[in-house]
Amino acid sequence: MAQPVVPNVLAARYASDEMARIWSPEQKVVLERRFWIAVLRAQRDLGVAVADGAVEAYEAVVDQVDLDSVGERERVTKHDVKARIEECNALAGFQEIHKGLTSRDLTENVEQLQVRLAVALVRDRVVAALARLAERAAEHAATAVTGRSHNVPAQVTTVGKRLANAGQELLQALVRIEELLARYPLRGVKGPVGTQQDLVDLFGGDVGLVDELEQRVAAHLGFERVLGSVGQVYPRSLDLDVVAAYVQAASGPANLAVTIRLMAGAGLATEGFLPGQVGSSAMPHKQNARSSERITALTHILGGHLAMVTALVGDQWNEGDVSCSAVRRVALPDSSFAIDGLLETFLAVLRGFAVYEDRIAAELQRELPFLATTKLLLALVKRGVGREDAHAAVKEHALAARGDGPAFLSLLAGDARIGFTADQLAALVGQPVDLAGAAPAHVAAFVAEVDEVTKRHPEAAAYEGADVL
Amino acid sequence: MAQPVVPNVLAARYASDEMARIWSPEQKVVLERRFWIAVLRAQRDLGVAVADGAVEAYEAVVDQVDLDSVGERERVTKHDVKARIEECNALAGFQEIHKGLTSRDLTENVEQLQVRLAVALVRDRVVAALARLAERAAEHAATAVTGRSHNVPAQVTTVGKRLANAGQELLQALVRIEELLARYPLRGVKGPVGTQQDLVDLFGGDVGLVDELEQRVAAHLGFERVLGSVGQVYPRSLDLDVVAAYVQAASGPANLAVTIRLMAGAGLATEGFLPGQVGSSAMPHKQNARSSERITALTHILGGHLAMVTALVGDQWNEGDVSCSAVRRVALPDSSFAIDGLLETFLAVLRGFAVYEDRIAAELQRELPFLATTKLLLALVKRGVGREDAHAAVKEHALAARGDGPAFLSLLAGDARIGFTADQLAALVGQPVDLAGAAPAHVAAFVAEVDEVTKRHPEAAAYEGADVL
Amino acid sequence: MAQPVVPNVLAARYASDEMARIWSPEQKVVLERRFWIAVLRAQRDLGVAVADGAVEAYEAVVDQVDLDSVGERERVTKHDVKARIEECNALAGFQEIHKGLTSRDLTENVEQLQVRLAVALVRDRVVAALARLAERAAEHAATAVTGRSHNVPAQVTTVGKRLANAGQELLQALVRIEELLARYPLRGVKGPVGTQQDLVDLFGGDVGLVDELEQRVAAHLGFERVLGSVGQVYPRSLDLDVVAAYVQAASGPANLAVTIRLMAGAGLATEGFLPGQVGSSAMPHKQNARSSERITALTHILGGHLAMVTALVGDQWNEGDVSCSAVRRVALPDSSFAIDGLLETFLAVLRGFAVYEDRIAAELQRELPFLATTKLLLALVKRGVGREDAHAAVKEHALAARGDGPAFLSLLAGDARIGFTADQLAALVGQPVDLAGAAPAHVAAFVAEVDEVTKRHPEAAAYEGADVL
Amino acid sequence: MAQPVVPNVLAARYASDEMARIWSPEQKVVLERRFWIAVLRAQRDLGVAVADGAVEAYEAVVDQVDLDSVGERERVTKHDVKARIEECNALAGFQEIHKGLTSRDLTENVEQLQVRLAVALVRDRVVAALARLAERAAEHAATAVTGRSHNVPAQVTTVGKRLANAGQELLQALVRIEELLARYPLRGVKGPVGTQQDLVDLFGGDVGLVDELEQRVAAHLGFERVLGSVGQVYPRSLDLDVVAAYVQAASGPANLAVTIRLMAGAGLATEGFLPGQVGSSAMPHKQNARSSERITALTHILGGHLAMVTALVGDQWNEGDVSCSAVRRVALPDSSFAIDGLLETFLAVLRGFAVYEDRIAAELQRELPFLATTKLLLALVKRGVGREDAHAAVKEHALAARGDGPAFLSLLAGDARIGFTADQLAALVGQPVDLAGAAPAHVAAFVAEVDEVTKRHPEAAAYEGADVL
């Protein structure tokens, strides 16, 4: 009985089509062919004899991928790279590719190309997430909500600021990713131990020409930098750099996701508000924050991938072994799928995000008098109540009110030592948003920062996201 | 354009067919049906009204799995469990399954069944690996080799003992796995928050009958223990228990693998000796220890899965959320594939393992005089050479010999202070294996321990392993 | 300027005195001396010449530890083990210890002794935690509370069951730890590459006597098992076994801690109820669940230590290098401090744990009518209301009630289609605990399981815990 | 009995004095005072009433740290921050500090200051390591050595290139660290939930002044950027950013360390060559690469710290809890100690690094004829030997030579089909360095890159490192 096919669950359930394509077997064949053509073109232009029309013939067949045919060749050659060379040659009708190269010259550079495409896609999705966050934050910039530390009421903040806090963290991650993209260097065409011996031979000992070839290949593939001195492989800490950046990109969304799960539990917010839905409060307690939970899960998965590539640090012997091979086959695509799925899920959460204003207001009504205690004391003293008396009265009634703010105010109003009416006390406590300090200003600043980002990446920012499971 | 299919690389490249089957979509359907039947049969036997012939009708269709048909139903119902219930009912012609159950009752218990099957398969492969290790260790029990600490020569040991050391570690892991299997408990049929409210209703409030039902279901599925008090899910630290046991099982093989990589680098051993191959030394420097490298890689991957399930510790809110769902979809099958692939690869390495005796002997010839220095000094003093003179001479010649043992002996033989001939010195140094202490005894003891294991699991021990890539 | 002293923060802030002592520099000296004496006594009894009175003389000075004096000797000898041998000899007035041993024979076995003492202490603390959990669970066995999945109301459960769920998970961990303790094997006295060459020499080639010596030493140190075949070191996967068991032991407490943090946020429970405190509700919103948060933090720390020892898997070259040394110097004591501190903190949380019954009741009052919807529908149909009418009415009013259960009942009572009075409806919904299924039975079963444990470990169970920061 | 003092082993054994100081309890007090003064000065300059001479009085006592006195105050106040405020006030004779601040305003910003100082120190040590690597690489730029992939001979490279490969990886990490330092933003003075409510009050509602205050404080502390919108804490993914950068910085050194361990095992190199030592080969087999092993160990430890801070991703509830507190108390200082100790150890390894040229030459002599097989075949064909004959002869003799290169050449020389003399063959194989391709050019390019770095950081580059244990 043949082995049953087990699909990659991260690709199939969570990742976008675009990310799945970058790492698909078909696309790998296409990218390899592009690499071969880049090398071949550079070799031709730098004086290596290449048959006329060969470059063009290869270019014409780049996208003609038949994995079955490649598989049949591999069963004969027992060598996967060789099989793909033969297939490509057969399609083009030439035998010009892969000259002066080893398998690693092909696989290392193509994997780096996949990595760069994946990171660029993640960059775009982060931009989209920031754009949506800024929109939601602006909507709710002045929606006061009970701010919490240790998960208990602490001071007033606004829903918009809560969103902006997550966005601020994501902005940091965006800078991190953009820096990474800007400097991410290609290993280049360096041969089996990194000395370029075979290419130096091919170019008759002219190291300068070898260098020039490498620069042209890199430019053709869209890389601005090439590593100078490497062994068989590019430094695996570059993989760490990438996956760590993914995890960093997950953090803002994941922190907001857990907060939405908390708010959903208290009936304050939902991730599942659908356009056309009537009202904002149909059985809020039935709104499971499943997508937010998924964001938590995908974050944990990314942490596992980070552990995998961390294990590659200090694990490279001499000029390089392949003890990293299976690790990278798993961790590089799978972490890309995970962060991509996480950001898609986050976009869905932001699309569906809504607050239940009545529940938020009810919570504030209950908590606000306690959150405003300092303000009350100041007013009492100002009015001439003795400081000790004020303290004693406030403490006594706060205890007696057992967490019920309005009751607390009633008790104060009924206390002759205080001398404020219920209305006066209510006026003193004031409107919640007045206790939110610079929260609206922080939101505005965040929105302005995101504007700069979306101006640089208008197309990415326009992405609204796909449906998620 | 549809999303390209990305296969699970661990299943496709490394895992055995048997392990892939345990986690395949088809097999999950079968296991779910077995669970439903176990519950239905217990319900019937405990007095719940069940249509005549229903149990038998369901049993007859257990293996008729048509994923496409299930998929079509899911597109209608928008609910995966409901789709699978309908499919099963349609096949059997009854509507009796899943009564008094929630989705979690189904999915939790079936996943645990998959876990137990996977762990049992790993146990069997560990037994096979131990059997092969014992065979190889016995072959090489007295093959002296330069023992190393800090990767430099330290004392003589034997190749067989080196294998036995790895085997001893693996034996510890076997005990760990067997203990795990013996106590691994089923979550049971506990309902959406763990109170069994719906089953208690179904049995008219008789908690004892609910208990009895659960025990019968567990027994039917092969579990000896059922958890008493749980929430929506079984404790996720059981997943940690499983994956940590996998990592522990990887350790002995992984330590031997890295040692084989070192020995291959020095030309002392190979993992790739094929039956029928002539001689034991055909270009040893060309023997890449690729499979051993793969074992290293799969170990790192397992470490990542361990990190994923570690993240579930302390992450369960109230009666349970699904913030662990995606994590477990990845980590449970994938870690099973990784350890399974690792053990298959290890079996292949043990099949191909051979030593290059001439190279081992040459190394010993070079190192042995230094390793025997203490013995030499004792003999000199015994013979009447002054202790200080002896020390001085030995040190002087050791330095001058620059790491070349025979040269060291020649220098000593030519030194009048010493008064030993070359032959006498050679006899003093003696045969390498005489300096290997209890190494052969340790091997014998290991082999005896493994014999006990293979007697308990003769079928598992007979498994020779499949071809690996 | 001398290096400032940086204390080990885990030992100083979180761990108990007992755990700190196990890993303190002073205690290590004591344990080494006990090991030396065990070996010396066995050597003497097995015929090796040992000066009269030596064993007794060493025994008399075991606890006379002067780290400064040892430090001075180390500055002279430049070798830490040698310095400690000299100090011990000087104190006893003999030079008999460490014969036939290498440094590793000392350090490996003493570290294993520390590990076993630490694991045994953790076992005891787990027993104490289970005893307290059972007490708290019994108190609250029938205290109904709104059970939640996805952090939103799902079905009724009880506070006691919530505690029992955590306890059930911890019981699993206890079995895991007890199995580990029962099989944890000593590396034994095996020499620099594991062959026992030096001891075999000492005993004139009698491998049986060497074996006997090892068994006696192990028995003296309290170990029941000795590893047969090892290299320079014991298999490092034993360290993984230990730290993974610690993490597993953290899981039940950590899951309960996060749930207490959630309950504290909703004003339902506190970890900080002090004996003598008046009432159960003095400003519940001010009760920070700081200790529960610390449990979360210490769990994450343990995960880091698990990652460290996971990195040792497959990292042992040949007979053993010391590339694990610094890792184990950090991970073994620090993970012991972390789990110990976590369990001490958990005991403190359980001491202070209390629920705010009025808030719990208020939550149930609001949610119960929704949680009882199924029950209501059944009653309506039974009473003769058409199934469709019943459904329509219930759905309509549930939506209109906007999450307010009593309002939902009022709306139903006012609907002529329904025909139930408010009182009848309230009676139908019933008492919350009636909807908690087998929850009280689960608690009772858990308490009974813990009783078995405390009977086996009465002293450990009696431990109440120390004050925490 | 008091708890025994357990020192922080990473600080005490591995870290430099400078790094220990950054994280010492004394230094924390100093940094807190600097922060308070920065705030006070800014408040004064922005119009808040501050007593004359207060700023100067505080500045005068910044370094007067008496931890015992602080401890006594804490026993009275039961609040650590309050105790430190009182101590500082008592020393200065004013009560002006900490106005409008919460504890978090103090602790968050001071911890970030410690982080920035630590990262800057790591940057400096990386620069020093690069400078030493460039020196060693230049020395050995043309020292041919057998390059290896899969740990077996592959092609010729040079020792200098091997060093440059590690250096190239470290250069990537340097860029990463410098980018991090350039953008690492201060949380700023944001109050208990991030709204700056208390400061907005202090400045009479003028958000602009609050902003200005924050900018001045940041500038005073040396930060160029301040986060706009945060909650109680700065985003914990910044901690991930830092620790991940540390791990990346470890990778080049750790890969070289493992390669040195391999070279030491083959007798090719040592990390322990001391100035004044005679010759280059005194018992090379006795040279333990203990420091290189330590680098491996410290890398694993860093991986554990990375796991700890990864656990903080997505773990921040609402405006922030302290469930990260203990994690950061451990992971931030300890990871700084680990990377610092690793780089100090690496500097020591580079100081002591030397190669055994005779052993390297002997290895090349044995391997080179095999490494030059392709070249030989080309020459044979050029000379007129039939391609098939050439292949057959070369294969036959290669097998017969059993890994012995000179024997291989002798066999070829004695084969009439070949027609080359021994001398001709030797000439054909040529000098090893001629087969090293662009290796010397790569070294030169690396040295030039490092020159740019050392020009930017001349002081850091001059650091030679301290003695290590």
Side-chain angles (χ1 to χ4, degrees), chain B residues 376-405:
Chain B
L376 281 173
L377 279 171
L378 280 173
L380 292 180
V381 171
K382 222 175 190 171
R383 190 159 193 269
V385 182
R387 186 177 297 270
E388 293 311 306
D389 285 351
H391 262 280
V394 162
K395 194 177 170 188
E396 178 192 327
H397 297 314
L399 279 166
R402 298 170 72 90
D404 178 340

Side-chain angles (χ1 to χ4, degrees), chain C residues 116-467:
Chain C
R116 200 170 56 79
L117 291 170
V119 175
L121 181 57
V122 169
R123 190 257 334 266
D124 284 355
R125 293 303 180 252
V126 167
V127 167
L130 283 167
R132 296 300 88 68
L133 265 172
E135 289 165 10
R136 289 297 94 76
E139 281 171 33
H140 298 293
T143 311
V145 69
T146 307
R148 288 170 178 258
S149 62
H150 308 287
N151 201 28
V152 299
Q155 278 192 344
V156 177
T157 187
T158 73
V159 173
K161 177 163 169 62
R162 214 166 243 189
L163 295 163
N165 291 350
Q168 188 79 52
E169 183 164 21
L170 191 55
L171 271 170
Q172 295 302 111
L174 178 66
V175 180
R176 168 89 169 78
I177 290 170
E178 294 201 303
E179 288 174 357
L180 169 61
L181 270 176
R183 71 177 145 74
Y184 186 74
L186 193 69
R187 180 233 182 203
V189 193
K190 296 289 200 307
V193 300
T195 58
Q196 304 183 303
Q197 171 68 15
D198 301 325
L199 283 175
V200 170
D201 275 355
L202 188 70
F203 282 101
D206 189 331
V207 170
L209 279 180
V210 173
D211 229 47
E212 179 60 28
L213 170 93
E214 208 172 49
Q215 295 300 333
R216 290 183 184 209
V217 170
H220 190 89
L221 298 175
F223 283 80
E224 287 176 25
R225 301 193 51 232
V226 180
L227 287 164
S229 189
V230 298
Q232 190 189 42
V233 297
Y234 68 82
R236 294 322 187 202
S237 56
L238 287 180
D239 293 338
L240 173 81
D241 201 354
V242 167
V243 181
Y246 286 171
V247 178
Q248 193 165 343
S251 192
N255 283 328
L256 186 57
V258 80
T259 296
I260 290 174
R261 291 167 61 194
L262 291 166
M263 293 177 82
L268 305 181
T270 179
E271 64 173 34
F273 187 75
L274 299 174
Q277 196 176 337
V278 185
S280 59
S281 68
M283 301 184 66
H285 67 285
K286 291 293 183 200
Q287 299 277 13
N288 298 342
R290 280 179 167 272
S291 293
S292 296
E293 288 171 359
R294 176 177 299 170
I295 289 172
T296 301
L298 290 168
T299 303
H300 293 334
I301 289 171
L302 280 167
H305 294 136
L306 184 56
M308 290 182 197
V309 294
T310 298
L312 302 184
V313 171
D315 197 46
Q316 208 55 257
W317 293 12
N318 306 302
E319 278 62 48
D321 289 355
V322 300
S323 63
C324 55
S325 170
V327 180
R328 296 173 62 255
R329 278 179 202 272
V330 170
L332 293 180
D334 282 13
S335 64
S336 300
F337 297 146
I339 183 64
D340 179 71
L342 185 151
L343 291 168
E344 286 288 345
T345 308
F346 188 55
L347 287 169
V349 166
L350 292 177
R351 280 198 303 279
F353 180 76
V355 295
Y356 297 106
E357 299 198 359
D358 48 354
R359 297 288 288 261
I360 284 180
E363 185 188 55
L364 274 170
Q365 194 185 17
R366 193 175 67 239
E367 304 293 348
L368 202 63
F370 299 109
L371 303 184
T373 301
T374 320
K375 210 174 159 191
L376 281 172
L377 279 170
L378 281 174
L380 292 180
V381 171
K382 222 174 192 173
R383 188 158 195 266
V385 182
R387 187 176 296 270
E388 293 312 306
D389 286 350
H391 262 279
V394 162
K395 192 176 171 189
E396 178 191 328
H397 298 315
L399 278 165
R402 299 170 71 90
D404 177 341
F408 175 41
L409 292 187
S410 297
L411 290 167
L412 287 173
D415 186 333
R417 288 171 297 181
I418 304 290
F420 276 113
T421 66
D423 283 355
Q424 285 172 317
L425 285 165
L428 260 175
V429 169
Q431 289 308 304
V433 77
D434 298 339
L435 293 169
H442 292 166
V443 174
F446 167 68
V447 170
E449 274 197 77
V450 173
D451 274 353
E452 293 304 310
V453 169
T454 57
K455 267 178 211 151
R456 278 192 286 120
H457 302 286
E459 204 174 328
Y463 181 72
E464 292 284 343
D467 283 347

Side-chain angles (χ1 to χ4, degrees), chain B residues 10-133:
Chain B
L10 287 167
R13 289 184 72 89
Y14 310 117
S16 67
D17 293 359
E18 280 152 289
M19 188 59 91
R21 201 163 300 124
I22 290 172
W23 298 100
S24 72
E26 292 82 0
Q27 182 65 4
K28 180 146 203 175
V29 170
V30 172
L31 294 175
E32 285 183 349
R33 291 176 184 175
R34 286 202 199 136
F35 170 78
W36 277 322
I37 294 169
V39 173
L40 188 61
R41 179 186 297 274
Q43 288 178 336
R44 185 189 63 186
D45 296 350
L46 292 170
V48 175
V50 171
D52 280 353
V55 169
E56 294 70 23
Y58 283 111
E59 277 176 343
V61 300
V62 158
D63 293 319
Q64 296 177 24
V65 180
D66 179 345
L67 291 179
D68 290 338
S69 173
V70 175
E72 253 168 70
R73 290 181 192 277
E74 190 174 345
R75 271 183 290 282
V76 177
T77 62
K78 306 279 181 202
H79 194 289
D80 57 343
V81 170
K82 207 168 171 198
R84 298 205 294 276
I85 292 170
E86 285 183 4
E87 172 82 3
C88 186
N89 282 340
L91 286 169
F94 285 89
Q95 299 199 11
E96 296 283 351
I97 54 169
H98 203 72
K99 266 187 206 158
L101 305 185
T102 62
S103 295
R104 282 291 193 173
D105 287 324
L106 177 74
T107 55
E108 288 288 304
N109 289 306
V110 166
E111 286 164 19
Q112 287 202 284
L113 193 50
Q114 289 178 297
V115 166
R116 201 169 56 77
L117 292 170
V119 175
L121 180 57
V122 169
R123 190 255 334 269
D124 285 354
R125 293 302 181 255
V126 167
V127 168
L130 283 167
R132 297 299 87 67
L133 265 172

